[in-house]
Amino acid sequence: MPSTSGLTHVAMSVPEGTLTDAYRSRLVDFYGRILGWREMESLRLPDRLIVAVGPSSYINIRERPDSMVTHGYEHFGVLVRSAENLQQLWADLANEEDDVGLERLTTNDDGEGSFLFRYLLPMAVEAQFYARLL
């Protein structure tokens, strides 16, 4: 049976005309500051934004006339390294000046848990800490 080493990317579409310089700058500045993500400039096209989110994974954002429609639950998860990191990330997002759709942090007695937030991307991000996944 084949096995994989994890996800390489998540692809999502946005309406045509979304990937303006201002949108790109806001998205990359925000996620760069909050999560350390960066644009992969060598893959940039007028209708495509590729954002590196880890050593071997990225988000592919494309303008499309038939862009995706989400209803609130669609998300992808990112893993942080500790319960303290999870708490700090939630606090940082709660103090953001921008309108970040931030849901409550839920944790167990060991500090493991998660929360969702949404900013500029069509899908939400679920930040998680689970020691068994590290």
Side-chain angles (χ1 to χ4, degrees):
M1 175 182 283
S3 65
T4 65
S5 342
L7 292 173
T8 59
H9 69 281
V10 173
M12 55 188 84
S13 58
V14 295
E16 292 175 314
T18 298
L19 296 178
T20 63
D21 288 341
Y23 175 91
R24 290 170 185 269
S25 177
R26 285 178 46 220
L27 188 142
V28 172
D29 288 349
F30 175 82
Y31 286 102
R33 183 170 37 79
I34 295 294
L35 297 174
W37 297 357
R38 61 181 171 71
E39 181 175 3
M40 298 173 71
E41 295 279 347
S42 64
L43 299 175
R44 183 179 189 154
L45 293 174
D47 68 341
R48 180 175 73 191
L49 171 62
I50 306 291
V51 180
V53 300
S56 59
S57 55
Y58 60 92
I59 298 172
N60 179 350
I61 306 162
R62 291 267 180 128
E63 289 184 354
R64 305 241 339 152
D66 58 345
S67 62
M68 66 188 295
V69 176
T70 60
H71 300 282
Y73 182 72
E74 295 80 6
H75 66 276
F76 59 95
V78 296
L79 194 59
V80 299
R81 298 183 191 277
S82 69
E84 294 77 20
N85 289 152
L86 187 66
Q87 295 274 348
Q88 185 62 55
L89 178 56
W90 191 91
D92 290 347
L93 289 165
N95 290 319
E96 272 297 311
E97 291 180 17
D98 291 318
D99 184 23
V100 176
L102 180 61
E103 296 187 8
R104 71 183 184 91
L105 170 63
T106 58
T107 58
N108 64 19
D109 292 340
D110 296 323
E112 295 179 320
S114 66
F115 66 89
L116 287 166
F117 71 96
R118 181 183 307 274
Y119 183 74
L120 292 179
L121 294 171
M123 294 176 72
V125 179
E126 182 176 12
Q128 305 172 312
F129 169 68
Y130 294 105
R132 65 188 171 278
L133 296 177
L134 293 175

